[in-house]
Amino acid sequence: MCGIVGYIGQKKACPILIEGLRQLEYRGYDSAGISVINENGIFTAKSAGRVQELENKIGEKEVFGEVGIAHTRWATHGKPSDKNSHPHGDCKNNISVVHNGIIENYRELKDFLIKKKHKFSSETDSEVVAHLLEEFSKKMDFKLAVFEALKLIKGTYGLAIINSREPEKIIVARNGSPLVMGIGDGEYIIASDTSAIVRHTDKVIYFDDGEVAEITRDGFNVTNIRNKNIKKSITTLDWTVEKSQKGGFDHFMLKEIFEQPETIFNSIRGRYISTEGNAKLGGMEGVIDRIRKVEKIVIVGCGTARLAGMVGEYMLEEYAGIPTEVDYAHEFRYRKSVIDEKTALIAISQSGETADTLAAVREAKEKGALTLGIVNVVGSTIARETDAGVYTHSGPEIAVASTKAFTSQLAVMTLITVLFGRQRQMSLVTGQRIIRELDQIPAKIKKILSDNKEILKVAKKYHQYENFAYLGRKYNHPIAFEGAIKLKELTYIHAEGFASGEMKHGPIAMIDGNFPCVFVAPRDSVYEKNFSGIQEIKARGGKVIAIATVGDKEMAKVADDVIYIPKTLEMLTPILAAIPLQLFAYHMAVLNKKDVDKPRNLAKSVTVE
Ligand code: AGP
């Protein structure tokens, strides 16, 4: 997700735009830029790096003009660079556009425009908007040109547009990406969210999908893309800047947990062909033949990322029939791992900068392996150094504790499993079934999130305990470890993950009434074994918090507390089971008055070995 800002009023636009970008930097911070209309046309400055780099680039230059737009980027198409930064202009620099969202059909639009002799200067999807407007405004009023362009665009957008031929207005449009407008005294500030507005006014209008607004100093007019007028109500804000950046949530972590229906949707959108029961991963197309020859897979990562790989191991072996092993990236480097050109190394990393994981990638490349990345940050080092890969499109993950990035890693792992599997023994029907179920995951996550208050109740009951065991088996064995790491890193409470079958080989000796067990036990192929394991714990006076499948009444008779998740394919239960464990750890941290978004001793990206 990116941040866009626009200003039209009596004041110089540049400082207001820069300040707005600063407030939106948490939405994306790999590059930034501004465009301001002045008597010579449109002044544009843009730069890779944070907003400070943009300010340095503008330097002492006096930027005149009271109408402008600005953008801070979270790259999705095209690596972070000066030329890929927004705003994007048309061929003659009469039009400037900033965009938040993903244009799914940008390639065909770009081809159409190149045939019309348009010259592109970036690798982004967003630039097509400026050239579409240039093309259509050759033969119609600019606002009508905006409508025509929007009718062609498939995907999501929050757009702000300026045109030097109509210097006294800004046009904005929303579809799928947030857009809000602050109403000042003879001035208007448009932004992706209210954190860039609250300093200027508390009167705002929230735009809805399909709406277009033409804004001048004297007022604004809102229509749909068929130019039908729409009446908008004005809201009075009572939020601080900080509250705005968190979208009204108390912490970034909670906001990011609640973003997961959307981030899972974004991680799978346009990445499968239902009729063929197959995945369509653009970032893997260049190595599709090498993938066919892969005979062994090694998955590396650190912390939560590695646990996503552990789930992937079960997926790949069951559905692609490929021998798979998972290792800590920081251990892989010291092993004499048997890898060669028939091995694929999958590196999983939210930041794409984890030094240990990067070192493992380099080691594997040295040995001729095919290196693939599952990375969130576009243009990050691991993304650039792996031979191919798939971005998770989770948007910036600000909280140190990884939540939405983790579940998106699992979703992408599922697609990669389908891609590998369908080249081998996976049937069309199986591929279609997996894809159909994956498609329903966002809605199922929403259902779990609606039980947040129930999960808080459970956390209140247990927040003073000092030791926890997390248990799971098969696909949810890694989720037991993920639940434990969440609790540890957020509350500093001792929590240990176990494969549930391991308990009777020693760890169960620890269990008593002061050592609660969180047991991930959905209705799956190992349910009975887990159910017995829960009974063994209960028989020793242990307390059990079970993560169970909706409707499992038997579990409610045995466990002390049950948090339910909807039914899904066994291989997809980890995505659902992770959600209550994230919320449980979050509430435990709040109840224990910890710094949820920035736990002690930790960094968001561990770039040292
Ligand atoms: C997860 O909650 C932790 N913050 C940590 O384990 C993290 O997953 C690990 O450091 C790997 O980071 P990466 O995904 O950016 O490589």
Side-chain angles (χ1 to χ4, degrees):
M1 66 183 180
C2 305
I4 66 175
V5 189
Y7 175 77
I8 182 166
Q10 318 296 340
K11 303 176 189 122
K12 280 170 71 176
C14 184
I16 294 171
L17 294 171
I18 294 289
E19 170 52 28
L21 290 184
R22 284 196 179 290
Q23 299 311 326
L24 294 177
E25 238 183 339
Y26 77 94
R27 300 178 62 86
Y29 40 74
D30 61 47
S31 53
I34 69 166
S35 280
V36 178
I37 294 182
N38 58 37
E39 68 277 2
N40 304 320
I42 294 179
F43 166 84
T44 295
K46 49 191 195 174
S47 165
R50 304 198 70 138
V51 174
Q52 188 56 53
E53 299 303 317
L54 173 64
E55 275 199 284
N56 298 342
K57 193 162 201 175
I58 295 171
E60 300 311 311
K61 200 184 285 113
E62 190 76 39
V63 180
F64 295 102
E66 298 82 32
V67 181
I69 56 178
H71 184 276
T72 184
R73 188 171 182 238
W74 178 264
T76 55
H77 295 75
K79 65 184 180 301
S81 64
D82 289 6
K83 70 180 173 66
N84 286 336
S85 316
H86 300 217
H88 289 295
D90 64 327
C91 301
K92 298 193 180 68
N93 198 30
N94 292 321
I95 298 165
S96 192
V97 175
V98 289
H99 169 233
N100 174 26
I102 293 180
I103 298 176
E104 292 169 18
N105 61 333
Y106 82 97
R107 286 182 195 280
E108 65 188 80
L109 295 173
K110 192 165 180 174
D111 292 345
F112 159 73
L113 290 159
I114 287 169
K115 288 194 182 88
K116 295 271 186 187
K117 310 287 182 229
H118 286 263
K119 296 277 179 280
F120 283 80
S121 58
S122 82
E123 304 156 322
T124 67
D125 55 335
S126 309
E127 189 183 354
V128 299
V129 178
H131 293 281
L132 277 177
L133 295 174
E134 178 183 22
E135 185 58 33
F136 289 148
S137 59
K138 286 175 188 168
K139 41 190 185 289
M140 64 183 78
D141 170 71
F142 190 69
K143 190 172 177 189
L144 297 180
V146 171
F147 293 142
E148 288 312 304
L150 297 180
K151 285 172 191 165
L152 289 183
I153 289 173
K154 293 195 187 82
T156 57
Y157 54 79
L159 285 167
I161 303 159
I162 55 176
N163 174 2
S164 61
R165 295 198 182 98
E166 300 183 7
E168 300 306 316
K169 76 172 70 162
I170 292 180
I171 293 180
V172 299
R174 173 196 159 140
N175 192 50
S177 294
L179 206 56
V180 59
M181 178 171 73
I183 302 170
D185 180 8
E187 63 180 16
Y188 294 90
I189 295 155
I190 303 98
S192 299
D193 66 48
T194 54
S195 54
I197 293 173
V198 285
R199 275 181 164 65
H200 302 278
T201 175
D202 62 355
K203 299 283 176 291
V204 299
I205 281 179
Y206 290 95
F207 293 112
D208 293 306
D209 286 352
E211 292 182 349
V212 182
E214 193 174 42
I215 307 156
T216 68
R217 286 181 183 80
D218 308 322
F220 58 92
N221 175 44
V222 183
T223 70
N224 63 16
I225 60 172
R226 282 166 187 69
N227 210 8
K228 182 173 171 305
N229 282 334
I230 295 172
K231 190 146 179 45
K232 300 294 290 180
S233 56
I234 296 175
T235 303
T236 302
L237 282 177
D238 61 0
W239 276 0
T240 61
V241 170
E242 199 194 353
K243 195 91 174 156
S244 295
Q245 289 179 340
K246 293 167 186 163
F249 290 98
D250 290 338
H251 300 96
F252 277 112
M253 182 185 174
L254 191 59
K255 175 172 178 269
E256 287 155 9
I257 289 172
F258 274 77
E259 280 178 354
Q260 289 178 107
E262 180 191 351
T263 49
I264 291 290
F265 175 67
N266 288 338
S267 64
I268 62 178
R269 178 196 355 217
R271 289 178 157 175
Y272 53 77
I273 307 165
S274 302
T275 51
E276 295 172 18
N278 206 343
K280 185 173 71 113
L281 300 171
M284 302 283 239
E285 278 162 12
V287 295
I288 200 72
D289 290 334
R290 280 195 71 182
I291 287 174
R292 207 182 298 279
K293 299 187 185 99
V294 166
E295 293 175 2
K296 175 182 174 183
I297 295 174
V298 177
I299 305 176
V300 295
C302 298
T304 287
R306 172 185 154 270
L307 297 173
M310 281 177 70
V311 175
E313 178 181 10
Y314 288 97
M315 290 183 181
L316 286 161
E317 290 191 334
E318 177 168 6
Y319 287 99
I322 302 174
T324 303
E325 61 186 59
V326 179
D327 205 348
Y328 296 100
H330 42 77
E331 283 298 318
F332 171 77
R333 310 170 58 192
Y334 305 114
R335 285 176 52 194
K336 294 285 174 273
S337 179
V338 180
I339 56 176
D340 58 24
E341 71 289 343
K342 287 206 171 50
T343 306
L345 177 118
I346 299 178
I348 303 179
S349 176
Q350 185 285 130
S351 63
E353 300 299 345
T354 298
D356 291 318
T357 309
L358 176 59
V361 168
R362 290 171 174 165
E363 173 71 10
K365 285 190 91 162
E366 273 298 302
K367 295 185 174 172
L370 168 64
T371 56
L372 306 172
I374 299 179
V375 176
N376 189 33
V377 179
V378 173
S380 56
T381 307
I382 292 171
R384 280 182 287 109
E385 294 202 13
T386 41
D387 297 312
V390 184
Y391 285 120
T392 52
H393 287 328
S394 315
E397 188 174 65
I398 307 297
V400 165
S402 187
T403 52
K404 61 177 184 174
F406 174 66
T407 49
S408 290
Q409 288 160 1
L410 295 178
V412 167
M413 196 75 245
T414 306
L415 293 170
I416 288 174
T417 299
V418 171
L419 186 75
F420 276 74
R422 291 286 284 127
Q423 283 186 339
R424 294 164 175 81
Q425 305 313 315
M426 185 187 286
S427 68
L428 167 67
V429 169
T430 301
Q432 287 175 326
R433 184 159 46 88
I434 293 171
I435 285 167
R436 194 169 47 248
E437 266 301 321
L438 185 58
D439 215 29
Q440 294 174 29
I441 290 294
K444 294 185 175 182
I445 292 177
K446 273 194 188 127
K447 173 67 191 69
I448 300 168
L449 294 173
S450 68
D451 294 338
N452 182 34
K453 288 193 172 48
E454 295 310 307
I455 298 166
L456 171 57
K457 275 188 208 148
V458 176
K460 280 181 178 165
K461 198 171 154 186
Y462 292 90
H463 75 282
Q464 288 169 329
Y465 284 90
E466 293 176 356
N467 293 287
F468 285 80
Y470 281 72
L471 311 176
R473 194 183 286 256
K474 200 177 174 190
Y475 278 101
N476 288 294
H477 158 210
I479 299 306
F481 285 80
E482 169 56 13
I485 196 175
K486 283 285 138 337
L487 193 68
K488 277 184 277 201
E489 66 177 332
L490 286 159
T491 65
Y492 322 148
I493 293 170
H494 170 242
E496 199 168 344
F498 297 97
S500 55
E502 184 64 9
M503 287 304 281
K504 52 191 174 299
H505 300 284
I508 202 164
M510 298 187 293
I511 301 304
D512 59 21
N514 297 317
F515 207 123
C517 295
V518 180
F519 212 124
V520 185
R523 281 274 186 202
D524 58 12
S525 62
V526 289
Y527 175 81
E528 283 66 30
K529 288 277 191 314
N530 281 333
F531 198 82
S532 316
I534 289 171
Q535 287 173 312
E536 284 160 21
I537 289 166
K538 291 299 298 169
R540 290 158 178 79
K543 292 183 176 61
V544 173
I545 304 168
I547 310 296
T549 302
V550 167
D552 183 352
K553 293 186 173 46
E554 288 310 301
M555 189 60 77
K557 293 175 192 160
V558 173
D560 297 86
D561 296 274
V562 185
I563 301 170
Y564 287 104
I565 60 174
K567 183 137 191 64
T568 186
L569 278 183
E570 179 167 4
M571 71 188 292
L572 299 178
T573 53
I575 299 180
L576 298 185
I579 310 293
L581 300 183
Q582 294 167 355
L583 286 169
F584 179 72
Y586 169 80
H587 291 306
M588 292 281 282
V590 171
L591 290 165
N592 282 288
K593 299 183 178 25
K594 300 301 182 199
D595 183 346
V596 171
D597 287 332
K598 295 188 177 65
R600 71 183 182 191
N601 308 340
L602 295 177
K604 183 59 188 168
S605 175
V606 182
T607 54
V608 293
E609 292 178 7

